Amino acid sequence: MEHCCIIFGNHRAEGAMKGREAMDAMAAGAARRFDQIRAEQTRALYRNCPFGVIAAALVALMLAATLHGPSQLDATRAYRWSALVATCALCHLLLCAFYRRRNPPPSQWRKWHYPFTLIVFMEGLAWCLGTIVFLADGSDLRALVFLLAWSGICGAAIVVFGAFLRTYLLFTYPPMVPHLFFLLNHRYPFSQIVLTLLIVYIIVLPIIVNWFKIQMIEGHRLRFENIDLAEEMRQAKDRADRANIAKSNFLAAASHDLRQPVHALGLFIGALRGRGMDAEARRLVDQIDESVAAMDDLFTSLLDVSKLDAGAISPSIEPVAIGPLIKRLCGDYADEAAQKGIRLRHADCGLTVESDAVLLERILRNLISNAVRYTDRGGVLVGCRRRGDRVDVQICDSGRGIPAELHEQIFQEFFQVANPERDRSKGLGLGLAIVKRLSKLIASPLIFRSEVGKGSAFRLSLRRCEAGTARAEPNVECDRVPVPGGALIAVIDDEPSIQRAMDSLLSSWSYRVVVGPSAEAVMARLHEASPPDLLICDYRLRGGQTGVGEIETLRRQFGRTIPAMLITGDTAPDRIAEAQASAFLLLHKPLSNARLRAAIGNLLRSASTLSAS
């Protein structure tokens, strides 16, 4: 019980401490905001002051020139008074110039506000003295003209000194006191009306100035809140960008480390298939190969996302006959649709569009595959519709549909509507993310609508072009030119398991093989042998080396341009861009044996053709 009390007491103390810290932070924030607003009010005083005080000094000079009495003494007093007003204005101007030069921080607003207010009060007293001077002889006309002039100055001063009510009143109220006494002691026609209006004016002025000040403070408060909100959004964006970069770096590092053994496993499976096995052993090898293929699907999808984020894919826009492409894709998924008992139909289309044939096929393949996968009854219809200079390719299904609140999320990576158990047979959640990126890349808007229980419809808008120059469907027949036998292949990879796997696999394909972790190790194992016919290099090697540098080293050593390919397990966007910039054939781990064999054959055939010519 004692321990429980201690723990509870500690938690309560920690909670109280956090509460105090939160209150201190709130108080500090409120004080900072108060200083910011007051600093802006003070800045408004200094910004508007020069025009106001210069105008007031000119009015004082005009009053001195026109309203002084008949004696020389009256004129002297009037001009001395106007000189006093001008001196106060000069002090204000010098203070404003000094303020602009220093440009003080918000926390120092008091240091600059109080001297300004003192000079304002001195100006108010100077005008009060002028009022006494001009009203001394009891002239009704002079008193009325002076009062009208001062009323106009008071109205204009709202803009100049209205940022602070106290500052404004210290300037405007002192000269009004002599006028009140004059009107109370000197009766003349309309004096009662003038007195009433002056009293109303004295009462209304603070109300107007206070309203002006409140509006100014509210405007500054909203501006600072918007600034803080924009800063918070910028920081949130920076955090999201950093998190996205961290995610990409993590995926790149994790996928690279995972691709290495998966790639080696695939190579070992290829080497194993060439050996004699009974039916049960071959079945196990097939199952292992299926698991490796599943991991390969995941890595390929991650790689596609990374390529798109890196800008490493450049579309090649050309005329594409859309009808044959749709027909072929629907044929690829006809068996899957038949097994599910749904109809997969397509409408014939003779239109031609401008697009990248490979990327367009990838988009439509993903959309048709999803439609078939998530349709349990009814069917899927794929067709085209001409809309002016555009062609809309539509994929409609009668499947499960997607709730409206999830329409934006389905284009995010790894998001799936109904797969909490992450069943791989339901996909990886990357298809639509790739589709969205690819549609932007080829400048083809993708429009989506769906309703739960009624199905979904995707519409891809493509630019129409004239027929006759459209790209034909690719020829799927293999190149039957013989591959040179007994070629010498040098493999550079810093993973011992991949070295052994490549040695076994390539040897089973009747190639001579030399493997090593670096160009220097390969040179040492070649001895006096002839140059290799082909170089296969991992892109990222130990010690900060890259496959590009190792290939160049071997080429310089043998004094010839040896055919070469790069194999990488990286998915980091910058690494992909660097590898692609090398102009070497770039393949990605895990690599299927068929693709590796085809790439080797193509490079060797190309080299053989060039040497023969």
Side-chain angles (χ1 to χ4, degrees), residues 133-245:
V133 169
F134 283 109
L135 300 182
D137 61 354
S139 171
D140 300 341
L141 180 62
R142 189 180 301 169
L144 187 59
V145 172
F146 200 94
L147 180 59
L148 290 175
W150 183 242
S151 299
I153 291 175
C154 290
I158 295 176
V159 178
V160 180
F161 302 128
F164 287 91
L165 179 60
R166 177 179 57 188
T167 304
Y168 179 83
L169 296 180
L170 288 175
F171 176 70
T172 57
Y173 270 27
M176 291 185 180
V177 176
H179 282 291
L180 284 174
F181 280 105
F182 181 82
L183 291 170
L184 289 172
N185 297 320
H186 294 80
R187 300 293 180 178
Y188 59 87
F190 306 111
S191 62
Q192 293 295 325
I193 297 176
V194 174
L195 178 61
T196 303
L197 291 176
L198 180 59
I199 294 173
V200 172
Y201 196 61
I202 292 173
I203 295 173
V204 170
L205 271 181
I207 298 174
I208 296 175
V209 175
N210 191 59
W211 176 84
F212 177 81
K213 183 194 71 172
I214 290 173
Q215 295 301 313
M216 178 181 288
I217 291 175
E218 183 67 14
H220 289 318
R221 185 184 65 80
L222 291 175
R223 182 166 67 88
F224 285 122
E225 287 182 357
N226 289 335
I227 291 174
D228 291 344
L229 182 60
E231 178 63 19
E232 289 176 4
M233 292 179 65
R234 186 191 65 79
Q235 292 178 0
K237 181 179 180 300
D238 289 343
R239 288 193 297 269
D241 290 341
R242 288 195 297 270
N244 189 47
I245 292 172

Side-chain angles (χ1 to χ4, degrees), residues 533-544:
D533 299 297
L534 178 66
L535 303 177
I536 301 178
C537 269
D538 187 18
Y539 177 71
R540 187 171 73 175
L541 301 170
R542 291 174 185 169

Side-chain angles (χ1 to χ4, degrees), residues 488-492 513-532 535 537 549-560 562:
L488 176 60
I489 300 178
V491 179
I492 299 177
V513 187
V514 176
V515 298
S518 64
E520 183 180 356
V522 168
M523 286 293 303
R525 293 172 186 175
L526 282 172
H527 300 295
E528 300 298 328
S530 59
L535 303 177
C537 269
E550 300 299 276
I551 291 172
E552 296 296 340
T553 298
L554 289 173
R555 284 181 169 183
R556 285 195 303 269
Q557 186 69 30
F558 288 104
R560 55 174 289 190
I562 305 172

Side-chain angles (χ1 to χ4, degrees), residues 276-303:
M277 293 180 289
D278 57 25
E280 180 62 19
R282 189 166 296 280
R283 184 184 65 82
L284 292 175
V285 170
D286 290 339
Q287 291 178 345
I288 295 173
D289 200 13
E290 288 180 3
S291 298
V292 172
M295 286 188 284
D296 186 31
D297 289 341
L298 173 60
F299 288 133
T300 300
S301 298
L302 288 173
L303 179 64

